[in-house]
Amino acid sequence: MPSSLSPAAITSDYMADVDPTGAIASAAREVGELIEKDLGSVGATFFATYMRETGLQDRLSRTIIARIEQEADVYVREKLLHFAEGRWAQSAADCVRHARKHDVSVRSVMTAVAAANERVTDLIWERCHDDGARCRKLLSMMLQIAMIDSGFMSNVLSSDQAETQRAERQRYGTLFEQRIVGEIDGASKLGESLREQAKDASAATRGMLGKASEVAAAAEQSALAMREAAR
């Protein structure tokens, strides 16, 4: 699966790329129909494991907890009964992002997924253990689905982290640019101030030289007057 995958771009075309022959989707649907009356227990297993692993039941409101429980059930049903449509993948991405939002390790999400998949395999065995060929086929397909599921979640995580790092680099780049512009502007203003001060100093110097010239001229006239008086 591509690491640049964006969950918002999940489409049936993408799912067809993951399952080009449709064999996985077909087997997933077969599993879903085989254990359909117990699908609720699979979602419940996911939910219970997720709550146990994350401790979110003590941190979130009852309304949000109920929404998570409902979403867990939707995720399981969509993955098994409508695999090719890809809605389960968006649900998985939302779960990963919800976990990150609450500083929960993605490992907790994958542990819940693994527990749900284990429940599915137990149900497959219960329903068709007397049909060895079918049982092996469905269990093999569940293994592939589990690999696709965990790979997808890992890619969501890495993609989001890469986007976060890109945004941080852009933010720091902007701050750096603003700082450089500010320093250049400050240096320019300082240069203008120094030039004005130099002008003032030059004018003051000229004034002092003028005064000095006047004093020297007056002293010279006074000396001449004294010499004249001495005669």
Side-chain angles (χ1 to χ4, degrees):
M1 298 175 70
S3 60
S4 60
L5 176 65
S6 170
I10 293 296
T11 63
S12 58
D13 288 341
Y14 171 73
M15 299 312 298
D17 185 56
V18 173
D19 180 24
T21 65
I24 296 177
S26 177
R29 187 169 189 84
E30 185 177 349
V31 170
E33 292 174 348
L34 177 69
I35 65 172
E36 190 164 9
K37 70 175 185 178
D38 289 310
L39 281 178
S41 70
V42 179
T45 298
F46 179 99
F47 173 74
T49 306
Y50 186 61
M51 289 294 106
R52 185 183 68 248
E53 291 289 320
T54 63
L56 288 177
Q57 69 272 19
D58 299 323
R59 297 164 51 189
L60 303 177
S61 69
R62 291 182 179 179
T63 301
I64 295 177
I65 292 297
R67 193 179 306 156
I68 293 173
E69 185 173 15
Q70 180 182 16
E71 188 60 32
D73 185 72
V74 170
Y75 158 74
V76 168
R77 293 178 186 279
E78 287 294 329
K79 184 167 69 172
L80 293 179
L81 297 174
H82 309 287
F83 180 85
E85 295 176 20
R87 288 191 295 269
W88 65 270
Q90 184 61 61
S91 181
D94 290 343
C95 189
V96 169
R97 287 175 171 149
H98 181 270
R100 290 191 66 206
K101 177 182 177 181
H102 294 284
D103 297 319
V104 170
S105 169
V106 174
R107 177 181 174 279
S108 299
V109 180
M110 293 192 173
T111 299
V113 171
N117 286 336
E118 185 176 355
R119 174 60 179 156
V120 171
T121 58
D122 287 344
L123 290 169
I124 290 173
W125 177 253
E126 288 176 12
R127 296 292 188 279
C128 65
H129 64 274
D130 56 342
D131 186 346
R134 185 188 186 198
C135 193
R136 282 193 299 273
K137 182 192 77 171
L138 297 183
L139 291 175
S140 175
M141 285 301 180
M142 278 306 303
L143 178 59
Q144 292 186 54
I145 290 172
M147 292 173 63
I148 291 171
D149 212 348
S150 60
F152 175 80
M153 289 185 175
S154 296
N155 279 339
V156 169
L157 177 62
S158 62
S159 178
D160 283 3
Q161 288 176 332
E163 178 60 24
T164 298
Q165 291 171 359
R166 186 200 65 77
E168 279 295 294
R169 288 194 299 272
Q170 185 177 28
R171 184 174 73 87
Y172 281 119
T174 300
L175 291 175
F176 179 74
E177 182 180 345
Q178 291 173 345
R179 179 178 177 182
I180 292 299
V181 170
E183 290 181 354
I184 292 174
D185 187 52
S188 177
K189 289 180 180 179
L190 178 60
E192 291 177 2
S193 176
L194 290 174
R195 283 195 295 274
E196 290 299 321
Q197 292 178 31
K199 289 180 182 178
D200 293 343
S202 178
T205 299
R206 287 195 298 272
M208 290 174 64
L209 290 174
K211 291 290 183 182
S213 297
E214 292 176 4
V215 170
E220 186 177 355
Q221 290 177 359
S222 177
L224 289 173
M226 290 176 66
R227 284 199 295 272
E228 290 294 330
R231 292 177 186 172

